[in-house]
Amino acid sequence: MTTDATQFWDEVHAARPATAPRPNARLVEIAADLTPGDALDLGCGNGGDARWLAERGWRVTATDISAVAVQRLAGPRITAVRHDLRVSFPAGEFDLVTAHYLQSPFELDRTGVLRTAAHALRPGGRLLIVDHGSSAPWSWNQDPDAHFPGPAEIAADLALDPSGWTVERADSPTRLATGPDGQTAEVVDHVLLIRRTA
């Protein structure tokens, strides 16, 4: 495996077919009834979430470390920009920031990135964090001792002032996931939804 994060993720996305993937299940579940506004998709990958949001009237800023992923993602109501979140963060204020599976084999101050995302929300805006709560058979992380922080732990690490942000959801549901070769497995998602109140 390469030791360069950009090269690693470029290779991951180059190996995937350039097709329109489905949106993440938790995004559809949570955002389907939200009023469209400005959304930020952190780690947009193949762009399924950004496209789904744009089709529902959101103006989407989609960002990824991979130039391959960003170059593939174009369409009405979508602005795709490359950012290495270790060193830069998209400008703007948002009504929804999504971070689905923003986990990497490379060093990343994830808590700092997510705290920055919370501060990029407009009052009333929501930060949706969905993390792996278990390893699928096709995951790059097959460490049997891997720790998957739960939503309460993630919220505690963010240390957001409760006078300005409130946790609307923090749970760990299961779902049936499909891997890149069509195999299926039951996996756990850690779901954290935070709303900016002031």
Side-chain angles (χ1 to χ4, degrees), residues 51-194:
R51 289 185 176 100
W52 184 86
L53 288 165
E55 287 167 1
R56 277 145 190 83
W58 292 83
R59 293 173 301 277
V60 183
T61 299
T63 187
D64 202 280
I65 191 173
S66 167
V68 174
V70 168
Q71 288 165 3
R72 286 181 175 177
L73 184 55
R77 308 182 74 84
I78 298 174
T79 301
V81 290
R82 186 186 169 279
H83 279 274
D84 181 344
L85 295 173
R86 296 174 297 180
V87 295
S88 63
F89 193 91
E93 291 185 326
F94 304 94
D95 304 293
L96 175 66
V97 179
T98 67
H100 279 77
Y101 313 111
L102 189 66
Q103 294 159 305
S104 174
F106 298 92
E107 183 177 346
L108 172 68
D109 178 10
R110 211 178 82 102
T111 298
V113 169
L114 295 175
R115 193 176 293 121
T116 299
H119 285 274
L121 293 170
R122 294 186 178 109
R126 290 173 172 88
L127 170 60
L128 172 60
I129 303 166
V130 181
D131 287 337
H132 295 295
S134 63
S135 270
W138 54 85
S139 298
W140 51 261
N141 183 359
Q142 292 297 323
D143 180 356
D145 299 319
H147 173 63
F148 298 97
E153 184 178 346
I154 295 164
D157 286 345
L158 290 177
L160 296 170
D161 184 340
S163 68
W165 290 267
T166 186
V167 173
E168 290 191 326
R169 177 175 172 179
D171 61 358
S172 299
T174 60
R175 63 181 170 85
L176 188 64
T178 303
D181 296 323
Q183 68 273 50
T184 60
E186 186 175 76
V187 298
V188 177
D189 287 327
H190 288 324
V191 180
L192 178 63
L193 182 64
I194 296 173

Side-chain angles (χ1 to χ4, degrees), residues 3-23:
T3 57
D4 179 79
T6 303
Q7 181 184 345
F8 173 83
W9 289 111
D10 278 344
E11 290 173 358
V12 166
H13 291 292
R16 292 177 177 166
T19 56
R22 295 175 307 206

